[in-house]
Amino acid sequence: SSTERRSIGSLAMAVPVQTWGVLGSLVGEQREFGSQTAEYLESHEVYDLFAHLLRQIVVQQPENPVRFLQDQLRSAPPLSMCVIGPPGIGRTKYCQQLAADFNIRHIHVGKILRGRRELKEVLEAGNLVEDKVVIELVNAEIHKAKSMGWVLDGFPRTKVQAQALGLKEIGYCLDKTILLHTGEQAIRQRFAAKVAAAGYRQEEREDVVNARLQQYHRHIISICELMRNSIRQIEVSSADDDQNVTYNAIKGNLHIREHSNAPFRPARVCIVGPCASGRTTQCQQLSRLYGLVHVDPAALLRARQPPGPDGEEVPPEHMSDEDLCAAVGQRLEQVDCLRKGWVLDGFPKTAAQAKFLRQAHMWPTRLVLLRVPEVELMARSAARRIDPVTRIAYYKNPGSVAVRQRLVTASYDEPEVVRERIKSFEKNVPAVLAVFPMVASTINCDPDIGLTTKSIQERLDACLPHELAQTAEKVETE
């Protein structure tokens, strides 16, 4: 059970990191074989493939499980997702594009409801249709599209509808949930434009507009809370002049890898680099672009350690491997990381930390090393100031005079300390890369943050050699 696994994990955390996990209790020959086996299973995504097959067989409960599994292996798994957002946000155009690109069925819930005469009065008044009615209609449409996959447009709109997606009748089959959102003023302007396009004057439908928006805001909070471990939020520009910008963000958050045994598996990314290399900035960008959970070991340690003089923190590299691995391991086991994927900020930095991820079956799908000239690292560290109250780092003077006056230089940003930190990182990083050679790559950072982000995206989106090889062999067999 999950409770048992957590208990076992808690006990394992107390063991020195070098022997954490099953491999630590084996003799040398067994450990080498176990390590090779784990590498094979992880690199070929066998764990995720089996998890998908087990999920499908439990949900579908076929009469002939063997034949069912054979059919599943012959075809790519169908995508099932939903796109929600306020009225007028433009969900439908994105759902249409998703349906065309991924060859899945577009289930436009609003259109289905408007096609029912008995619901016309309810809809024109701006009210929501009874949950039971909507769920029955959606359930019927999902079963029609079960074999090809589907994208739900405008469902769920209430917490009850969101809970229905987990019912056995629907098949517990939701892969991704996308929430499109923007500012309140932009929402009202968009909805007003939608009403005008339908042939109404805004003054005539003002009450309906207000009612619909109130209902949306009342229900979206409970929906987000219920689906907090899987929902991915995407900000839509108030202008939205370029549909491709938002659509590319949606596709990035889906992160579907065509050349993969587990195409729906979320990304697990490690970004490593010396101090002041811009790791955190890049991790924040990747979290937004791919819907990943940003796991920052420094933030995890804040709750475990009191601040030093003047409120400064102890850098993660000054903490023991055991403490860091305990904090990181517990965070990666949480449901949101398992469902959304994660981007690790500055971890692993030592061979022991890398081996911990390996032994704990938390292998990264990509490990990216950021390279920045030492002169630039020294200059960035010299410019950095810390707010002892909020612990926020500033590289330029903040606008607030009060904040500016209390900024301090942390002891770990002193030139001699920075040089030692860089030296320590360079000493350890080759051993870190050696633990995950198949997924590791190096990027020379550009002064333009956006260009560096783009380079990292290219590494994340590109197929690895073994993935391409599997695809080629599959084609030849067919």
Side-chain angles (χ1 to χ4, degrees):
S1 69
S2 59
T3 303
E4 290 173 340
R5 285 197 298 272
R6 284 195 295 270
S7 299
I8 293 171
S10 298
L11 290 173
M13 287 297 179
V15 180
V17 67
Q18 290 81 358
T19 59
W20 198 95
V22 176
L23 298 182
S25 62
L26 305 179
V27 298
E29 293 79 3
Q30 291 175 318
R31 189 180 297 111
E32 182 179 357
F33 174 76
S35 179
Q36 292 173 352
T37 302
E39 182 172 351
Y40 171 82
L41 295 174
E42 288 287 351
S43 63
H44 290 79
E45 300 172 319
V46 177
Y47 291 123
D48 300 279
L49 174 62
F50 275 27
H52 167 73
L53 293 175
L54 179 61
R55 174 190 176 193
Q56 293 303 314
I57 204 167
V58 168
V59 169
Q60 305 295 340
Q61 299 183 6
E63 293 183 3
N64 190 329
V66 175
R67 181 172 298 173
F68 174 81
L69 290 175
Q70 290 175 334
D71 293 338
Q72 289 288 310
L73 289 169
R74 289 193 183 101
S75 59
L79 172 65
S80 56
M81 62 175 296
C82 57
V83 179
I84 57 178
I89 196 71
R91 294 186 313 267
T92 299
K93 62 182 179 183
Y94 300 119
C95 290
Q96 290 172 338
Q97 199 167 351
L98 287 167
D101 287 353
F102 294 103
N103 194 28
I104 57 179
R105 183 169 181 176
H106 176 199
I107 302 177
H108 192 325
V109 178
K111 187 175 181 179
I112 294 172
L113 296 177
R114 288 193 292 272
R116 306 294 291 254
R117 291 184 179 180
E118 66 273 22
L119 302 177
K120 182 178 180 181
E121 184 177 341
V122 176
L123 294 173
E124 287 190 347
N127 298 320
L128 294 178
V129 177
E130 186 180 351
D131 287 325
K132 181 180 179 181
V133 174
V134 179
I135 292 170
E136 288 178 353
L137 292 172
V138 169
N139 190 12
E141 294 296 324
I142 286 178
H143 278 78
K144 292 178 185 177
K146 184 180 295 183
S147 60
M148 68 178 297
W150 41 263
V151 52
L152 276 173
D153 180 354
F155 183 97
R157 295 192 181 187
T158 68
K159 183 178 181 180
V160 174
Q161 294 175 15
Q163 291 171 326
L165 288 169
L167 296 176
K168 181 179 178 180
E169 291 76 13
I170 291 183
Y172 327 104
C173 50
L174 187 64
D175 292 314
K176 312 281 185 178
T177 303
I178 301 294
L179 168 62
L180 304 178
H181 65 99
T182 188
E184 175 71 20
Q185 184 177 357
I187 291 175
R188 288 189 170 276
Q189 291 174 347
R190 287 168 175 270
F191 196 22
K194 183 178 180 179
V195 169
Y200 298 100
R201 288 193 307 168
Q202 184 174 350
E203 296 78 11
E204 297 174 348
R205 307 290 289 176
E206 188 69 27
D207 291 343
V208 174
V209 171
N210 289 331
R212 288 285 305 279
L213 290 177
Q214 288 173 4
Q215 289 167 351
Y216 171 77
H217 289 302
R218 182 169 69 250
H219 290 290
I220 195 61
I221 295 174
S222 58
I223 293 173
C224 289
E225 176 62 23
L226 182 68
M227 309 178 80
R228 64 186 180 279
N229 292 320
S230 60
I231 198 167
R232 292 164 168 83
Q233 299 190 35
I234 295 176
E235 179 76 27
V236 179
S237 169
S238 57
D240 194 26
D241 297 326
D242 188 352
Q243 179 176 335
N244 290 329
V245 173
T246 301
Y247 184 67
N248 287 337
I250 294 173
K251 289 186 69 175
N253 275 259
L254 294 180
H255 196 63
I256 296 174
R257 301 165 302 128
E258 297 179 14
H259 304 284
S260 169
N261 287 331
F264 299 148
R265 183 182 73 175
R268 303 194 293 258
V269 183
C270 292
I271 303 295
V272 297
C275 57
S277 60
R279 291 188 319 264
T280 299
T281 298
Q282 294 303 328
C283 288
Q284 291 170 344
Q285 293 280 47
L286 295 177
S287 175
R288 178 182 61 83
L289 292 169
Y290 292 96
L292 306 175
V293 179
H294 177 196
V295 179
D296 183 357
L300 296 178
L301 292 175
R302 286 172 188 161
R304 295 169 174 250
Q305 63 182 24
D310 299 321
E312 70 179 45
E313 301 171 9
V314 179
E317 60 261 41
H318 292 176
M319 302 296 293
S320 68
D321 285 332
E322 285 75 15
D323 288 340
L324 274 174
C325 290
V328 170
Q330 290 170 7
R331 182 65 185 92
L332 297 185
E333 285 181 338
Q334 294 181 18
V335 178
D336 58 343
C337 288
L338 297 175
R339 295 289 301 276
K340 294 182 179 181
W342 41 261
V343 53
L344 257 175
D345 186 345
F347 187 99
K349 285 187 176 180
T350 66
Q353 294 172 15
K355 290 176 182 177
F356 159 76
L357 290 178
R358 184 179 179 121
Q359 293 176 9
H361 298 290
M362 297 172 178
W363 286 49
T365 56
R366 297 292 187 274
L367 189 154
V368 179
L369 168 62
L370 302 181
R371 284 292 186 192
V372 178
E374 183 172 340
V375 174
E376 178 64 21
L377 295 175
M378 297 298 297
R380 293 180 184 180
S381 298
R384 181 163 55 192
R385 299 290 184 273
I386 307 296
D387 181 350
V389 176
T390 63
R391 299 188 180 185
I392 295 175
Y394 292 90
Y395 290 87
K396 296 180 180 180
N397 286 331
S400 170
V401 176
V403 174
R404 190 161 60 242
Q405 290 177 341
R406 66 175 182 247
L407 295 183
V408 297
T409 299
S411 60
Y412 54 77
D413 277 336
E414 296 293 342
E416 290 305 317
V417 178
V418 171
R419 289 191 184 93
E420 188 60 33
R421 293 174 68 188
I422 295 172
K423 182 179 178 181
S424 175
F425 175 83
E426 295 298 338
K427 178 182 177 180
N428 289 311
V429 73
V432 171
L433 300 180
V435 176
F436 301 111
M438 296 184 67
V439 299
S441 61
T442 301
I443 289 178
N444 294 317
C445 294
D446 192 280
D448 187 326
I449 294 175
L451 292 179
T452 300
T453 303
K454 186 176 180 180
S455 296
I456 298 175
Q457 284 185 270
E458 291 173 353
R459 304 298 173 89
L460 267 58
D461 296 339
C463 292
L464 295 175
H466 70 271
E467 293 174 338
L468 290 173
Q470 284 181 350
T471 304
E473 290 171 7
K474 183 178 178 182
V475 171
E476 289 175 7
T477 302
E478 293 176 348

